[in-house]
C-alpha cells in the first residue's frame, strides 16, 4: 500500500484535479511523464515533465481549450496514440469539467461516426493526416454535431487548428485563478470520462465513469498492491481501453508515479529492456509473445546451460507453489531459490529488463496456464486480474500474499460477485456502473432490482473464494449435439506447444471442432534452426509433424467434445492492424471467421458436419 501520499480531502470527495494539485505541492520535482521523440528510436533520449510541470501544462492547455469554447460537461473526442499531447490534453479537459473520450485508432469509419453522433461532441483532437482524413467527412455530416478538429502534427493540420497554436493561445490566456476556479467546481460524482466499448458485436456502448468510482477503485487496489514509491509504468495500451486509462493516467495521478509513454506497442519489450521497471502489466498476448521470445533464445543455448536453467526454474516453481499454498518456504528451499535467482535467473531477466520486477499483472482475457507457469519458473508470479469497463477495470485480483495461478483472484474490498445458474458472473458494488449513457444524456439502467450487473463472462468460484474464468457467454460454442465448449480453454491448451502462437477454434452448430493454428513467428525459426532445417520452416514436413503431435497432445487432455478433429496451419501473425485482434489483443472471432470462411468450410469437407 502507498504510504507517502496524503489525501487532500475525504476519499469520497476526491477528484483527479485535487490529486494532481497534491502531487504538484508534495512531489513537484518528481518525474511524472516521459516520452521519446517520435523518430528517436531505441537510442533516442527521453523528455520528462515533473508533476509541477505537468500541472502547469494542464493549465496552459485548459486555457487553450476553453478559448475554443469547451464547456463543463461536454464530451471532447481524441484519436491519438500514446503520446504526451493525448495524456496532457486528457488532464487539461478534466480540469475544465469537460469529459475527455479516447477513440480507438483502429475504429472503423462507421464506429467513429456513431461515437461522434452519440457523444454530441463539437470538438475532436486527432493525431495526424491519417486520422484527420477519417474525421473530416463528419464535419460536413448534418447528423453529426462535430464542428472543429485540432490536429497534433503541425505539418498535417491543413486548414484545421494545430495543437501548437492552441497551446500558444493557452500560454497567452492562462489564468491561475480561472484554472483553479474551474476544477474546484468539479464534484466526485461528476463524469470523469466516458469509455466506449469496442463494439465487436454492434455499435459501441458508452460507459460513464465518475471521479468517485475511479478513486474508490484506486484505494481498493492500493490495499492489495505493494509497489515502490513513485513506481514507473510503461504505458502502451490504447487510452480508449479502461485498463490503460486506469494504469496510465488515473493510478499514476493517485500514486504520484512515473509514466513512460510507449508510442508503439511493438516496442514494449525494448522499452522494458531500457527501463528495467519495478512493475509491468501485460495482456495475455503480450506475456505469450515475451515468453515465446525467451523460449526462442533459450533454445539456442548449449545443452549444459539449458539444463542449469531448467534446474533453476524447477526450484523457482517449487518456491512459487509453496507461496501459492500459503506456506512459508523452508530454509533450504529459500536458500536454493535465492541462489538460483542470483546465479542463473536474474542474469537472464536482466537481459529482458525484468530483474527488478516486484509486481507483474495481466487482465483482459483468460491467461494460458502454461504461460503463467513459464514465468513462475523465473520467480515471476503474474497476478492475473479481471474486470470490465463497466466495473472501472479491476474487480478481482490476485496479490502476492494470496494467489492461485490460473485464477483471476478474489474481489477487491467492498465488492461482491456471485455465479448465476447458467454460470454467468454477476457483480455488485460501488465501482459498478449504473447503466449505459444514451445519446440524449440519460442513463439506461443495467442493474437488476438488487443491484447486480450481468457481466456476460462465464466462470466459477472455488472453495477459497478465487474466481476462475471460462469464457465469454456469447463466445461459447454450442455443437450440433447440444454440448457447450469454451473456445478459450481449447485454444489455450493448443497454445501450450511453443510452435503454436495463436489459435481459433470453430464449431458452433457443427458436430465437431476445427481450428486455425498460426505458427509462432519467433519460436518456429529457432525450433527449425536447432534441427538443421534451412529456409522458410512454414510447410516443412518436420514442422507439420510437430504440429500434429501438439494437436494430439492437446486432444489427450481434452474431453471428446472439446477435441480438434481437423485444423489448418497458417503463417502471418494476426494483429490489430490487420483486423483479427482488438486493440487490447483479444481475438475478433467474427472477423477471423469471415476472413477464413472458405478454409473453415473446407475443414468440414463434403459432409459439412
Amino acid at each position: 500500500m502507498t504510504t507517502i501520499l496524503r489525501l487532500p480531502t475525504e476519499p469520497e470527495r476526491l477528484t483527479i484535479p485535487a490529486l494532481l494539485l497534491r502531487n504538484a505541492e508534495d512531489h513537484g520535482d518528481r518525474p511524472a511523464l516521459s516520452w521519446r521523440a517520435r523518430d528517436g528510436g531505441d537510442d533516442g533520449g527521453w523528455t520528462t515533465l515533473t508533476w509541477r510541470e505537468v500541472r502547469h501544462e494542464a493549465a496552459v492547455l485548459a486555457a487553450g481549450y476553453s478559448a475554443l469554447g469547451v464547456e463543463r460537461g461536454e464530451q471532447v473526442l481524441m484519436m491519438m496514440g500514446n503520446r504526451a499531447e493525448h495524456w496532457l490534453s486528457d488532464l487539461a479537459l478534466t480540469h475544465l469539467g469537460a469529459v475527455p473520450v479516447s477513440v480507438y485508432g483502429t475504429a472503423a469509419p462507421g464506429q467513429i461516426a456513431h461515437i461522434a453522433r452519440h457523444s454530441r461532441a463539437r470538438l475532436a483532437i486527432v493525431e495526424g493526416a491519417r486520422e484527420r482524413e477519417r474525421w473530416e467527412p463528419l464535419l460536413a455530416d448534418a447528423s453529426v454535431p462535430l464542428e472543429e478538429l485540432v490536429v497534433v502534427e503541425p505539418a498535417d493540420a491543413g486548414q484545421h487548428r494545430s495543437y501548437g497554436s492552441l497551446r500558444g493561445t493557452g500560454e497567452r490566456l492562462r489564468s491561475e485563478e480561472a484554472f483553479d476556479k474551474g476544477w474546484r467546481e468539479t464534484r466526485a460524482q461528476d463524469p470523469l470520462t466516458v469509455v466506449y466499448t469496442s463494439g465487436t458485436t454492434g455499435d459501441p456502448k458508452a460507459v460513464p465513469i465518475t471521479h468517485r468510482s475511479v478513486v474508490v477503485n484506486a484505494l481498493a487496489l492500493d490495499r492489495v498492491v505493494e509497489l515502490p514509491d513513485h513506481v514507473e509504468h510503461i504505458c502502451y495500451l490504447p487510452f480508449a481501453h479502461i485498463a490503460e486509462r486506469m494504469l496510465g493516467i488515473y493510478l499514476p495521478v493517485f500514486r504520484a508515479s512515473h509514466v513512460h509513454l510507449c508510442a508503439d506497442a511493438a516496442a514494449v519489450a525494448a522499452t522494458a529492456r531500457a527501463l528495467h521497471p519495478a512493475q509491468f502489466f501485460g495482456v495475455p498476448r503480450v506475456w505469450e509473445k515475451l515468453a515465446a521470445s525467451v523460449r526462442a533464445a533459450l533454445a539456442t543455448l548449449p545443452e549444459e546451460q539449458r539444463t542449469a536453467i531448467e534446474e533453476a526454474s524447477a526450484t523457482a516453481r517449487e518456491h512459487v507453489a509453496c507461496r501459492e499454498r500459503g506456506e512459508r518456504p523452508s530454509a533450504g528451499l529459500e536458500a536454493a531459490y535465492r541462489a538460483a535467482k542470483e546465479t542463473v535467473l536474474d542474469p537472464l531477466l536482466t537481459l529482458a529488463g525484468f530483474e527488478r520486477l516486484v509486481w507483474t499483472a495481466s487482465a483482459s482475457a483468460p491467461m494460458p496456464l502454461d504461460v503463467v507457469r513459464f514465468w513462475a519458473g523465473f520467480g515471476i508470479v503474474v497476478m492475473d486480474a479481471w474486470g470490465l469497463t463497466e466495473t472501472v477495470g479491476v474487480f478481482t485480483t490476485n496479490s502476492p500474499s494470496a494467489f492461485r495461478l490460473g485464477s483471476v483472484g478474489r474481489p477487491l474490498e467492498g465488492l461482491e460477485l456471485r455465479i448465476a445458474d447458467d454460470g454467468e458472473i454477476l457483480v455488485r458494488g460501488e465501482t459498478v456502473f449504473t447503466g449505459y449513457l444514451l445519446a440524449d444524456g440519460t442513463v439506461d439502467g443495467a442493474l437488476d432490482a438488487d443491484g447486480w450487473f450481468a457481466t456476460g463472462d462465464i466462470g466459477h468460484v472455488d472453495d477459497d473464494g478465487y474466481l476462475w474464468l471460462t469464457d465469454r457467454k456469447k463466445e461459447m460454442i454450442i455443437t450440433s449435439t447440444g454440448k457447450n465448449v469454451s473456445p478459450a480453454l481449447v485454444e489455450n491448451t493448443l497454445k501450450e506447444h511453443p510452435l503454436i502462437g495463436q489459435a481459433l477454434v470453430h464449431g458452433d452448430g457443427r458436430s465437431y471442432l476445427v481450428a486455425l493454428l498460426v505458427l509462432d513467428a519467433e519460436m518456429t525459426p529457432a525450433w527449425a534452426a536447432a534441427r538443421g532445417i534451412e529456409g522458410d520452416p512454414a510447410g516443412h514436413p518436420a514442422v507439420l509433424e510437430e504440429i500434429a503431435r501438439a494437436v494430439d497432445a492437446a486432444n489427450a487432455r481434452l474431453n471428446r467434445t472439446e477435441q480438434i478433429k481437423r485444423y489448418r496451419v497458417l503463417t502471418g501473425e494476426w494483429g490489430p492492424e490487420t483486423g483479427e485482434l482488438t486493440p487490447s489483443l483479444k481475438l475478433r472471432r467474427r472477423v477471423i471467421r469471415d476472413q477464413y470462411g472458405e478454409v473453415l468450410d473446407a475443414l468440414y469437407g463434403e459432409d459439412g458436419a
Side-chain angles (χ1 to χ4, degrees), residues 477 490-491 494 503-508 510-517 561-568 599-605 609:
I477 293 172
V490 181
E491 289 156 2
L494 289 163
L504 177 125
V505 172
H506 177 72
D508 202 49
R510 305 278 195 166
S511 62
Y512 59 85
L513 303 184
V514 299
L516 302 175
L517 307 177
T561 304
E562 297 167 338
Q563 292 174 354
I564 299 299
K565 294 292 181 64
R566 296 174 184 170
Y567 60 90
R568 177 69 61 85
V599 175
L600 292 168
D601 288 342
L603 289 172
Y604 285 100

Side-chain angles (χ1 to χ4, degrees), residues 200-230:
T200 54
T201 58
D203 286 334
K205 292 182 178 180
V207 179
I209 293 173
T210 66
H211 291 260
R212 175 175 291 159
S213 59
V214 164
V215 171
V216 168
N217 187 260
L219 285 165
L221 276 171
D222 212 40
R223 295 185 186 103
V224 298
V225 177
E226 299 177 6
L227 292 171
D229 294 341
H230 306 294

Side-chain angles (χ1 to χ4, degrees), residues 313-389:
S313 293
T315 300
R317 290 190 186 94
E318 185 180 353
H319 190 270
V320 169
C322 188
R323 293 168 52 204
E324 184 178 15
R325 295 191 299 268
E327 301 171 0
R328 185 171 182 173
S330 67
L333 176 57
E334 189 67 38
Y337 173 65
R338 294 302 168 195
K341 283 280 286 179
E342 291 174 9
T343 61
V344 179
L345 301 179
D346 279 351
L348 292 172
L349 290 174
T350 299
L351 298 176
F354 278 179
E355 81 285 356
R356 292 181 57 240
L357 287 176
V358 297
W359 176 265
T360 50
S362 182
S364 180
M367 177 76 111
L369 190 54
D370 75 302
V371 176
V372 178
R373 288 174 175 155
F374 173 82
W375 289 110
F378 287 86
I380 294 176
V381 182
V382 180
M383 299 297 172
D384 217 350
W386 170 80
L388 310 165
T389 304

Side-chain angles (χ1 to χ4, degrees), residues 108-251:
Q111 291 176 322
I112 296 172
H114 169 78
I115 292 172
R117 191 176 296 113
H118 184 276
S119 67
R120 309 182 307 284
R122 296 183 296 112
L123 174 67
I125 311 158
V126 302
E127 183 160 330
R130 178 176 176 271
E131 292 77 19
R132 185 202 71 207
E133 291 166 2
R134 297 159 68 192
W135 286 80
E136 278 179 329
L138 299 178
L139 294 171
D141 188 335
S143 70
V144 178
L146 194 67
E147 298 174 359
E148 188 167 4
L149 299 181
V150 171
V151 182
V152 173
E153 292 292 342
D156 297 332
Q159 63 183 348
H160 305 286
R161 187 181 302 271
S162 71
Y163 179 89
S165 68
L166 178 139
R167 189 189 178 284
T169 299
E171 279 279 25
R172 293 193 303 273
L173 300 179
R174 183 177 72 87
S175 161
E176 190 65 34
E177 182 180 354
F179 180 65
D180 193 60
K181 180 179 181 295
W183 76 259
R184 288 190 185 278
E185 292 178 1
T186 299
R187 299 293 175 259
Q189 64 269 26
D190 290 342
L192 172 58
T193 187
V194 172
V195 176
Y196 281 84
T197 60
S198 58
T200 54
T201 58
D203 286 334
K205 292 182 178 180
V207 179
I209 293 173
T210 66
H211 291 260
R212 175 175 291 159
S213 59
V214 164
V215 171
V216 168
N217 187 260
L219 285 165
L221 276 171
D222 212 40
R223 295 185 186 103
V224 298
V225 177
E226 299 177 6
L227 292 171
D229 294 341
H230 306 294
V231 70
E232 57 280 288
H233 169 67
I234 298 176
C235 172
Y236 65 95
L237 290 173
F239 285 124
H241 193 281
I242 186 60
E244 199 62 271
R245 282 220 145 250
M246 286 298 298
L247 291 166
I249 303 176
Y250 305 140
L251 282 172

